[in-house]
Amino acid sequence: QVQLVESGGGLVQAGGSLRLSCAASGSISGSIFSICDLGWYRQAPGRERELVASISRDGITIYADSVKGRFTISRENAKKMVFLQMNSLKPEDTAGYYCHLGGVGSLGSYWGQGIQVTVSS
């Protein structure tokens, strides 16, 4: 089993910044972590979960149009962590944010428990 634990969420005013972190633990080594695709998703009340940003094993990043230029995803394989730097936050960024680890080989995919980000206007 693999556990993903998010941290860094909270309440911030519009225009502010937050940095989300996600740490993997359990039955996953750093070398396996390094070849997994990683992502951040978010889900607002009454809406479907959507991809915010992803980063591949090769460091290729993909962003939702709504966050391009404001959010940056990064990873630190040695620490088995993935980050989401969120700048110029808007009220519409308010949601639960979820870390995702893509499966590889016999390793399945995993979700974190989610963390709330609230942006006040």
Side-chain angles (χ1 to χ4, degrees), residues 28-41:
I28 184 168
S29 65
S31 59
I32 294 296
F33 182 89
S34 71
I35 62 172
C36 292
D37 293 336
L38 304 168
W40 286 95
Y41 290 72

Side-chain angles (χ1 to χ4, degrees), residues 1-7 20-25 28 33 36-44 47-54 73 82 84 96-103 107-115:
Q1 285 288 339
V2 176
Q3 293 79 44
L4 300 175
V5 178
E6 299 98 337
S7 61
L20 303 183
S21 301
C22 174
S25 63
I28 184 168
F33 182 89
C36 292
D37 293 336
L38 304 168
W40 286 95
Y41 290 72
R42 67 186 180 187
Q43 187 169 19
R47 303 190 65 175
E48 293 187 354
R49 190 170 294 187
E50 63 176 359
L51 175 68
V52 176
S54 67
I73 188 171
V82 59
L84 186 68
Y97 282 72
Y98 298 84
C99 174
H100 181 260
L101 181 145
L107 180 70
S109 62
Y110 291 88
W111 290 95
Q113 82 286 355
I115 193 163

Side-chain angles (χ1 to χ4, degrees), residues 35-118:
I35 62 172
C36 292
D37 293 336
L38 304 168
W40 286 95
Y41 290 72
R42 67 186 180 187
Q43 187 169 19
R47 303 190 65 175
E48 293 187 354
R49 190 170 294 187
E50 63 176 359
L51 175 68
V52 176
S54 67
I55 183 167
S56 74
R57 58 190 288 180
D58 300 318
I60 297 171
T61 56
I62 295 174
Y63 295 94
D65 287 343
S66 59
V67 307
K68 283 181 181 176
R70 300 188 297 123
F71 290 11
T72 303
I73 188 171
S74 61
R75 63 191 296 165
E76 190 167 349
N77 293 328
K79 294 185 177 181
K80 296 183 287 185
M81 295 188 73
V82 59
F83 307 95
L84 186 68
Q85 178 66 43
M86 305 186 293
N87 299 328
S88 302
L89 282 160
K90 304 176 181 180
E92 51 263 44
D93 295 318
T94 295
Y97 282 72
Y98 298 84
C99 174
H100 181 260
L101 181 145
V104 61
S106 60
L107 180 70
S109 62
Y110 291 88
W111 290 95
Q113 82 286 355
I115 193 163
Q116 181 66 31
V117 170
T118 302

